[in-house]
Short mmCIF file of all heavy atoms in Angstrom, two decimals:
data_model
loop_
_atom_site.label_atom_id
_atom_site.label_comp_id
_atom_site.label_asym_id
_atom_site.label_seq_id
_atom_site.Cartn_x
_atom_site.Cartn_y
_atom_site.Cartn_z
N SER A 94 61.63 -34.49 33.75
CA SER A 94 62.55 -35.54 33.33
C SER A 94 61.75 -36.68 32.72
O SER A 94 60.56 -36.86 33.03
CB SER A 94 63.37 -36.07 34.52
OG SER A 94 62.56 -36.83 35.40
N PRO A 95 62.39 -37.48 31.88
CA PRO A 95 61.70 -38.67 31.40
C PRO A 95 61.61 -39.69 32.53
O PRO A 95 62.42 -39.68 33.45
CB PRO A 95 62.61 -39.17 30.26
CG PRO A 95 63.95 -38.59 30.57
CD PRO A 95 63.73 -37.31 31.31
N ARG A 98 64.74 -42.07 33.09
CA ARG A 98 66.08 -41.55 33.36
C ARG A 98 65.96 -40.24 34.14
O ARG A 98 65.29 -39.32 33.74
CB ARG A 98 66.78 -41.28 32.03
CG ARG A 98 68.27 -41.10 32.10
CD ARG A 98 68.89 -41.08 30.72
NE ARG A 98 68.39 -39.99 29.92
CZ ARG A 98 67.61 -40.14 28.84
NH1 ARG A 98 67.24 -41.34 28.47
NH2 ARG A 98 67.22 -39.10 28.15
N ASN A 99 66.61 -40.19 35.27
CA ASN A 99 66.49 -39.04 36.17
C ASN A 99 67.38 -37.90 35.69
O ASN A 99 68.31 -37.48 36.38
CB ASN A 99 66.86 -39.48 37.59
CG ASN A 99 66.44 -38.46 38.62
OD1 ASN A 99 65.78 -37.47 38.30
ND2 ASN A 99 66.83 -38.68 39.85
N GLU A 100 67.08 -37.40 34.50
CA GLU A 100 67.84 -36.32 33.88
C GLU A 100 66.90 -35.13 33.81
O GLU A 100 66.00 -35.09 32.99
CB GLU A 100 68.28 -36.77 32.49
CG GLU A 100 69.02 -35.75 31.68
CD GLU A 100 69.41 -36.32 30.32
OE1 GLU A 100 69.39 -37.55 30.15
OE2 GLU A 100 69.75 -35.52 29.43
N GLN A 101 67.12 -34.16 34.68
CA GLN A 101 66.14 -33.10 34.89
C GLN A 101 66.51 -31.82 34.14
O GLN A 101 67.66 -31.37 34.20
CB GLN A 101 65.98 -32.84 36.39
CG GLN A 101 65.45 -34.06 37.12
CD GLN A 101 65.24 -33.85 38.59
OE1 GLN A 101 65.09 -32.72 39.05
NE2 GLN A 101 65.20 -34.94 39.35
N TYR A 102 65.51 -31.27 33.50
CA TYR A 102 65.65 -30.01 32.76
C TYR A 102 64.81 -28.96 33.48
O TYR A 102 63.65 -29.19 33.79
CB TYR A 102 65.19 -30.19 31.32
CG TYR A 102 66.13 -31.08 30.55
CD1 TYR A 102 65.97 -32.46 30.57
CD2 TYR A 102 67.21 -30.55 29.86
CE1 TYR A 102 66.86 -33.29 29.90
CE2 TYR A 102 68.11 -31.36 29.19
CZ TYR A 102 67.93 -32.74 29.21
OH TYR A 102 68.82 -33.55 28.56
N PRO B 31 75.57 -42.96 41.77
CA PRO B 31 74.39 -42.25 41.29
C PRO B 31 74.58 -41.74 39.86
O PRO B 31 75.65 -41.90 39.28
CB PRO B 31 74.32 -41.07 42.25
CG PRO B 31 75.77 -40.77 42.54
CD PRO B 31 76.49 -42.10 42.51
N TYR B 32 73.56 -41.15 39.33
CA TYR B 32 73.73 -40.32 38.15
C TYR B 32 74.40 -39.03 38.63
O TYR B 32 74.12 -38.55 39.73
CB TYR B 32 72.38 -39.97 37.53
CG TYR B 32 71.69 -41.10 36.83
CD1 TYR B 32 70.31 -41.05 36.59
CD2 TYR B 32 72.38 -42.21 36.37
CE1 TYR B 32 69.65 -42.07 35.94
CE2 TYR B 32 71.72 -43.25 35.72
CZ TYR B 32 70.35 -43.17 35.50
OH TYR B 32 69.70 -44.18 34.86
N LEU B 33 75.25 -38.44 37.79
CA LEU B 33 76.00 -37.25 38.17
C LEU B 33 75.78 -36.16 37.13
O LEU B 33 75.76 -36.44 35.92
CB LEU B 33 77.49 -37.58 38.27
CG LEU B 33 77.83 -38.60 39.35
CD1 LEU B 33 79.13 -39.31 39.04
CD2 LEU B 33 77.93 -37.92 40.71
N PHE B 34 75.64 -34.93 37.61
CA PHE B 34 75.33 -33.82 36.71
C PHE B 34 76.12 -32.57 37.13
O PHE B 34 76.45 -32.39 38.29
CB PHE B 34 73.83 -33.45 36.80
CG PHE B 34 72.90 -34.60 36.57
CD1 PHE B 34 72.46 -35.38 37.62
CD2 PHE B 34 72.43 -34.88 35.29
CE1 PHE B 34 71.57 -36.44 37.41
CE2 PHE B 34 71.55 -35.94 35.07
CZ PHE B 34 71.13 -36.72 36.13
N TRP B 35 76.35 -31.73 36.13
CA TRP B 35 76.77 -30.37 36.37
C TRP B 35 75.77 -29.43 35.68
O TRP B 35 75.43 -29.63 34.51
CB TRP B 35 78.17 -30.10 35.81
CG TRP B 35 79.28 -30.48 36.73
CD1 TRP B 35 80.02 -31.63 36.72
CD2 TRP B 35 79.80 -29.71 37.81
NE1 TRP B 35 80.95 -31.63 37.71
CE2 TRP B 35 80.84 -30.45 38.40
CE3 TRP B 35 79.50 -28.45 38.34
CZ2 TRP B 35 81.57 -29.99 39.50
CZ3 TRP B 35 80.21 -27.98 39.42
CH2 TRP B 35 81.24 -28.75 39.99
N TYR B 36 75.34 -28.42 36.45
CA TYR B 36 74.46 -27.40 35.92
C TYR B 36 75.15 -26.04 36.06
O TYR B 36 75.95 -25.83 36.96
CB TYR B 36 73.15 -27.34 36.71
CG TYR B 36 72.19 -28.49 36.47
CD1 TYR B 36 72.31 -29.68 37.20
CD2 TYR B 36 71.18 -28.39 35.54
CE1 TYR B 36 71.42 -30.72 36.99
CE2 TYR B 36 70.28 -29.43 35.32
CZ TYR B 36 70.42 -30.60 36.05
OH TYR B 36 69.54 -31.64 35.84
N GLN B 45 70.98 -24.57 33.57
CA GLN B 45 71.20 -25.24 32.29
C GLN B 45 72.08 -26.46 32.52
O GLN B 45 73.12 -26.38 33.18
CB GLN B 45 71.87 -24.28 31.30
CG GLN B 45 72.08 -24.88 29.92
CD GLN B 45 72.72 -23.91 28.96
OE1 GLN B 45 73.38 -22.95 29.35
NE2 GLN B 45 72.53 -24.15 27.68
N LEU B 46 71.65 -27.58 31.97
CA LEU B 46 72.42 -28.81 32.12
C LEU B 46 73.67 -28.75 31.26
O LEU B 46 73.58 -28.61 30.04
CB LEU B 46 71.55 -30.00 31.71
CG LEU B 46 72.20 -31.38 31.81
CD1 LEU B 46 72.60 -31.71 33.24
CD2 LEU B 46 71.23 -32.45 31.28
N LEU B 47 74.84 -28.83 31.89
CA LEU B 47 76.11 -28.78 31.18
C LEU B 47 76.51 -30.17 30.69
O LEU B 47 76.94 -30.33 29.54
CB LEU B 47 77.22 -28.27 32.10
CG LEU B 47 77.45 -26.78 32.23
CD1 LEU B 47 78.59 -26.53 33.20
CD2 LEU B 47 77.74 -26.15 30.89
N LEU B 48 76.45 -31.12 31.57
CA LEU B 48 76.80 -32.49 31.19
C LEU B 48 76.31 -33.46 32.24
O LEU B 48 75.89 -33.06 33.33
CB LEU B 48 78.32 -32.63 30.97
CG LEU B 48 79.27 -32.05 32.00
CD1 LEU B 48 79.31 -32.85 33.28
CD2 LEU B 48 80.68 -31.93 31.42
N LYS B 49 76.36 -34.75 31.89
CA LYS B 49 75.83 -35.79 32.77
C LYS B 49 76.66 -37.05 32.62
O LYS B 49 77.26 -37.30 31.58
CB LYS B 49 74.38 -36.08 32.42
CG LYS B 49 74.18 -36.44 30.95
CD LYS B 49 72.73 -36.48 30.60
CE LYS B 49 72.54 -36.89 29.13
NZ LYS B 49 72.70 -35.74 28.21
N TYR B 50 76.67 -37.84 33.70
CA TYR B 50 77.29 -39.15 33.66
C TYR B 50 76.28 -40.17 34.14
O TYR B 50 75.73 -40.06 35.24
CB TYR B 50 78.54 -39.21 34.54
CG TYR B 50 79.10 -40.62 34.64
CD1 TYR B 50 79.84 -41.15 33.59
CD2 TYR B 50 78.84 -41.42 35.74
CE1 TYR B 50 80.33 -42.44 33.65
CE2 TYR B 50 79.32 -42.71 35.82
CZ TYR B 50 80.06 -43.22 34.77
OH TYR B 50 80.53 -44.51 34.83
N PHE B 51 76.07 -41.19 33.29
CA PHE B 51 75.19 -42.29 33.67
C PHE B 51 76.00 -43.57 33.83
O PHE B 51 75.87 -44.29 34.81
CB PHE B 51 74.08 -42.50 32.64
CG PHE B 51 73.11 -41.35 32.55
CD1 PHE B 51 72.46 -41.04 31.36
CD2 PHE B 51 72.81 -40.56 33.66
CE1 PHE B 51 71.56 -39.98 31.29
CE2 PHE B 51 71.91 -39.51 33.59
CZ PHE B 51 71.29 -39.23 32.39
N SER B 52 76.82 -43.88 32.83
CA SER B 52 77.63 -45.09 32.86
C SER B 52 78.63 -45.01 31.72
O SER B 52 78.61 -44.08 30.92
CB SER B 52 76.75 -46.34 32.71
OG SER B 52 76.12 -46.35 31.46
N GLY B 53 79.53 -45.99 31.66
CA GLY B 53 80.46 -46.07 30.55
C GLY B 53 81.69 -45.21 30.76
O GLY B 53 82.22 -45.13 31.86
N ASP B 54 82.14 -44.58 29.69
CA ASP B 54 83.34 -43.77 29.71
C ASP B 54 83.27 -42.76 30.85
O ASP B 54 82.31 -41.99 30.95
CB ASP B 54 83.50 -43.06 28.37
CG ASP B 54 84.88 -42.44 28.20
OD1 ASP B 54 85.61 -42.29 29.21
OD2 ASP B 54 85.23 -42.09 27.07
N THR B 55 84.30 -42.74 31.66
CA THR B 55 84.26 -41.89 32.85
C THR B 55 84.60 -40.44 32.54
O THR B 55 84.46 -39.57 33.42
CB THR B 55 85.23 -42.41 33.92
OG1 THR B 55 86.53 -42.49 33.35
CG2 THR B 55 84.80 -43.78 34.42
N LEU B 56 85.03 -40.15 31.34
CA LEU B 56 85.27 -38.78 30.91
C LEU B 56 84.13 -38.39 29.98
O LEU B 56 83.96 -38.98 28.92
CB LEU B 56 86.62 -38.66 30.19
CG LEU B 56 87.03 -37.25 29.77
CD1 LEU B 56 87.22 -36.35 31.00
CD2 LEU B 56 88.31 -37.29 28.94
N VAL B 57 83.33 -37.43 30.40
CA VAL B 57 82.16 -37.05 29.61
C VAL B 57 82.31 -35.63 29.09
O VAL B 57 82.87 -34.76 29.77
CB VAL B 57 80.86 -37.19 30.43
CG1 VAL B 57 80.59 -38.64 30.76
CG2 VAL B 57 80.91 -36.37 31.71
N GLN B 58 81.82 -35.45 27.90
CA GLN B 58 81.87 -34.13 27.27
C GLN B 58 80.51 -33.47 27.38
O GLN B 58 79.47 -34.12 27.32
CB GLN B 58 82.24 -34.28 25.80
CG GLN B 58 83.56 -35.01 25.56
CD GLN B 58 84.75 -34.26 26.13
OE1 GLN B 58 84.82 -33.04 26.06
NE2 GLN B 58 85.70 -34.99 26.74
N GLY B 59 80.53 -32.16 27.54
CA GLY B 59 79.28 -31.44 27.64
C GLY B 59 79.23 -30.28 26.66
O GLY B 59 80.03 -30.20 25.73
N ILE B 60 78.32 -29.39 26.93
CA ILE B 60 78.18 -28.22 26.07
C ILE B 60 79.20 -27.16 26.47
O ILE B 60 79.81 -27.24 27.55
CB ILE B 60 76.75 -27.65 26.14
CG1 ILE B 60 76.42 -27.19 27.57
CG2 ILE B 60 75.74 -28.68 25.67
CD1 ILE B 60 75.10 -26.44 27.68
N PHE B 63 82.92 -27.82 28.00
CA PHE B 63 83.18 -28.40 29.32
C PHE B 63 83.29 -29.93 29.25
O PHE B 63 82.67 -30.57 28.40
CB PHE B 63 82.06 -28.03 30.30
CG PHE B 63 82.13 -26.60 30.76
CD1 PHE B 63 81.43 -25.60 30.10
CD2 PHE B 63 82.88 -26.27 31.88
CE1 PHE B 63 81.50 -24.28 30.53
CE2 PHE B 63 82.95 -24.95 32.32
CZ PHE B 63 82.26 -23.96 31.64
N GLU B 64 84.05 -30.48 30.17
CA GLU B 64 84.13 -31.91 30.35
C GLU B 64 84.21 -32.20 31.85
O GLU B 64 84.51 -31.32 32.65
CB GLU B 64 85.34 -32.52 29.64
CG GLU B 64 86.67 -32.08 30.20
CD GLU B 64 87.84 -32.74 29.49
OE1 GLU B 64 87.72 -33.12 28.31
OE2 GLU B 64 88.89 -32.87 30.14
N ALA B 65 83.89 -33.44 32.21
CA ALA B 65 83.98 -33.84 33.60
C ALA B 65 84.45 -35.28 33.67
O ALA B 65 84.18 -36.08 32.77
CB ALA B 65 82.63 -33.69 34.31
N GLU B 66 85.14 -35.59 34.74
CA GLU B 66 85.66 -36.94 34.91
C GLU B 66 85.12 -37.56 36.19
O GLU B 66 85.23 -36.97 37.27
CB GLU B 66 87.19 -36.94 34.95
CG GLU B 66 87.77 -38.35 35.00
CD GLU B 66 89.27 -38.37 34.85
OE1 GLU B 66 89.90 -37.30 34.95
OE2 GLU B 66 89.82 -39.47 34.64
N PHE B 67 84.52 -38.72 36.05
CA PHE B 67 84.01 -39.46 37.19
C PHE B 67 85.11 -40.37 37.71
O PHE B 67 85.69 -41.16 36.97
CB PHE B 67 82.79 -40.30 36.76
CG PHE B 67 82.36 -41.33 37.76
CD1 PHE B 67 82.02 -40.95 39.05
CD2 PHE B 67 82.28 -42.68 37.42
CE1 PHE B 67 81.61 -41.90 39.98
CE2 PHE B 67 81.86 -43.62 38.33
CZ PHE B 67 81.55 -43.24 39.62
N PHE B 74 83.53 -35.94 40.84
CA PHE B 74 83.04 -35.66 39.49
C PHE B 74 83.41 -34.22 39.20
O PHE B 74 82.60 -33.31 39.22
CB PHE B 74 81.53 -35.87 39.40
CG PHE B 74 80.95 -35.82 38.02
CD1 PHE B 74 81.43 -36.63 37.00
CD2 PHE B 74 79.87 -34.98 37.73
CE1 PHE B 74 80.89 -36.60 35.73
CE2 PHE B 74 79.32 -34.94 36.45
CZ PHE B 74 79.83 -35.75 35.46
N ASN B 75 84.69 -34.00 38.89
CA ASN B 75 85.22 -32.65 38.72
C ASN B 75 84.97 -32.13 37.31
O ASN B 75 85.11 -32.86 36.33
CB ASN B 75 86.71 -32.61 39.03
CG ASN B 75 86.99 -32.88 40.50
OD1 ASN B 75 86.09 -32.87 41.35
ND2 ASN B 75 88.25 -33.14 40.82
N LEU B 76 84.66 -30.87 37.23
CA LEU B 76 84.37 -30.20 35.96
C LEU B 76 85.60 -29.46 35.48
O LEU B 76 86.28 -28.79 36.27
CB LEU B 76 83.21 -29.22 36.17
CG LEU B 76 82.73 -28.43 34.95
CD1 LEU B 76 81.98 -29.35 33.98
CD2 LEU B 76 81.82 -27.28 35.37
N PHE B 90 76.73 -25.72 39.65
CA PHE B 90 76.20 -26.67 40.62
C PHE B 90 76.47 -28.10 40.18
O PHE B 90 76.17 -28.46 39.05
CB PHE B 90 74.68 -26.49 40.79
CG PHE B 90 74.28 -25.19 41.39
CD1 PHE B 90 73.92 -24.12 40.60
CD2 PHE B 90 74.24 -25.03 42.77
CE1 PHE B 90 73.53 -22.90 41.14
CE2 PHE B 90 73.85 -23.82 43.34
CZ PHE B 90 73.51 -22.76 42.52
N CYS B 91 76.99 -28.88 41.11
CA CYS B 91 77.12 -30.31 40.91
C CYS B 91 75.90 -30.97 41.57
O CYS B 91 75.42 -30.50 42.62
CB CYS B 91 78.41 -30.80 41.58
SG CYS B 91 78.74 -32.56 41.44
N ALA B 92 75.39 -32.02 40.97
CA ALA B 92 74.20 -32.68 41.52
C ALA B 92 74.29 -34.19 41.30
O ALA B 92 74.92 -34.65 40.35
CB ALA B 92 72.92 -32.14 40.88
N VAL B 93 73.64 -34.93 42.19
CA VAL B 93 73.55 -36.38 42.05
C VAL B 93 72.10 -36.79 42.11
O VAL B 93 71.27 -36.13 42.75
CB VAL B 93 74.36 -37.11 43.15
CG1 VAL B 93 75.82 -36.72 43.09
CG2 VAL B 93 73.79 -36.83 44.53
N GLY B 94 71.79 -37.90 41.45
CA GLY B 94 70.42 -38.38 41.44
C GLY B 94 70.40 -39.90 41.42
O GLY B 94 71.35 -40.53 40.97
N ARG B 96 69.47 -43.68 40.37
CA ARG B 96 69.32 -44.36 39.08
C ARG B 96 67.95 -44.99 38.95
O ARG B 96 67.46 -45.61 39.87
CB ARG B 96 70.39 -45.45 38.95
CG ARG B 96 71.78 -44.92 38.89
CD ARG B 96 72.82 -46.03 38.81
NE ARG B 96 74.11 -45.45 38.47
CZ ARG B 96 74.56 -45.30 37.23
NH1 ARG B 96 73.82 -45.73 36.22
NH2 ARG B 96 75.71 -44.75 36.99
N LEU B 103 67.05 -34.55 42.75
CA LEU B 103 68.48 -34.33 42.62
C LEU B 103 68.95 -33.68 43.91
O LEU B 103 68.26 -32.82 44.48
CB LEU B 103 68.79 -33.42 41.44
CG LEU B 103 68.51 -33.98 40.05
CD1 LEU B 103 68.94 -32.98 38.99
CD2 LEU B 103 69.18 -35.32 39.83
#
Side-chain angles (χ1 to χ4, degrees):
Chain A
S94 71
R98 196 171 61 248
N99 194 6
E100 177 179 344
Q101 298 182 22
Y102 291 87
Chain B
Y32 288 160
L33 297 156
F34 306 90
W35 275 98
Y36 287 86
Q45 183 179 22
L46 180 61
L47 273 180
L48 46 74
K49 54 190 182 277
Y50 173 78
F51 294 150
S52 63
D54 193 344
T55 56
L56 184 64
V57 294
Q58 303 297 321
I60 62 172
F63 285 92
E64 65 179 27
E66 185 172 13
F67 167 57
F74 189 55
N75 293 348
L76 181 71
F90 294 95
C91 180
V93 300
R96 294 178 168 269
L103 292 183

